[in-house]
Amino acid sequence: MDKLVAGHSVAAWKKSGIGALVGAIVGAGTVAGLMHVAGTDFIDAMGGSRVALAGVAILYLLMAAFVGFGLAAPRTGARLLNVADADELREERAGMGRSVIVMGAIGVALLALALARTPSFPTAPVPAQAAAAVLAFVIAGGVAASWAWRRQYDELNRQLGIEGGYWAFGLSWIGLTLWGAADFLGLGPALTAIDVVTTLAAMMLVGAFVAIGRRGLMMR
């Protein structure tokens, strides 16, 4: 019995590791490719804060693409995503489809913001008004969708959402407080408004992974 449990654990770790490795390779390749296309001058003009925000946006978009691919091709997707098999993908299609929409929308909004035209980046491709409109639409749509979908999640997913939000808030509070204090005291790099947006968006992902990992759902 112990051998069976150990074998299952090893297999689960292997699957999770392979999925993480594939995701890391695709993510790194995508970011490297986009930076090459954009060019050094464009990246330098963006500055570190915008690049960081764009990186988080691309991460959201890649996650949406991965899950969307898994839903479109369950057999292949089950080998890459953190699910038991293709049947689970089919059974969870509705909920995971909503996740694809949410992650994709957040990624688009963050990327539009990172590429928004401002006095400090006048050559940016996205007009400031357009970026603001996209962000407002996504936030309003997210609030409306959360209300509309509130009864469509089971108890586990509700609890994961609460725990993920708890970790996201806690980590954001710690990180932003220390960063802001260091900036105020002249002991660290400046904390800009866009850095706050990036930190909150990144910690949403980190919080979700922490909540999932604490329940042992990273190995399935």
Side-chain angles (χ1 to χ4, degrees):
M1 184 67 174
D2 291 340
K3 290 182 178 180
L4 289 175
V5 173
H8 173 74
S9 179
V10 171
W13 272 111
K14 285 183 177 180
K15 182 177 180 180
S16 296
I18 291 173
L21 179 61
V22 171
I25 292 174
V26 173
T30 301
V31 172
L34 291 174
M35 291 181 69
H36 177 73
V37 171
T40 303
D41 292 339
F42 185 82
I43 298 299
D44 290 341
M46 286 182 67
S49 293
R50 285 178 181 263
V51 171
L53 179 60
V56 174
I58 291 170
L59 185 57
Y60 271 93
L61 292 172
L62 285 175
M63 291 177 63
F66 262 86
V67 177
F69 172 78
L71 295 178
R75 291 186 179 180
T76 304
R79 299 174 183 174
L80 298 176
L81 299 177
N82 190 38
V83 295
D85 51 35
D87 289 336
E88 183 176 350
L89 276 175
R90 297 186 182 98
E91 293 171 359
E92 300 292 334
R93 182 180 297 274
M96 296 182 75
R98 290 191 290 266
S99 296
V100 170
I101 295 173
V102 172
M103 288 188 294
I106 292 175
V108 169
L110 295 179
L111 189 59
L113 193 59
L115 299 177
R117 194 175 304 142
T118 63
S120 62
F121 189 23
T123 60
V126 179
Q129 295 82 356
V134 171
L135 183 62
F137 177 80
V138 169
I139 291 176
V143 172
S146 296
W147 179 259
W149 296 339
R150 69 190 187 282
R151 300 184 186 279
Q152 300 182 29
Y153 294 100
D154 57 27
E155 185 60 31
L156 174 60
N157 283 313
R158 288 196 192 95
Q159 191 61 34
L160 285 174
I162 293 172
E163 292 179 12
Y166 165 81
W167 283 101
F169 169 78
L171 293 172
S172 296
W173 184 85
I174 293 171
L176 291 174
T177 297
L178 291 175
W179 191 352
D183 178 19
F184 176 72
L185 297 172
L187 301 176
L191 174 63
T192 66
I194 205 64
D195 292 327
V196 175
V197 175
T198 302
T199 300
L200 293 173
M203 289 306 104
M204 283 175 58
L205 291 179
V206 174
F209 278 106
V210 171
I212 293 171
R214 281 171 55 85
R215 288 178 173 266
L217 298 178
M218 295 294 290
M219 298 186 302
R220 300 173 63 182

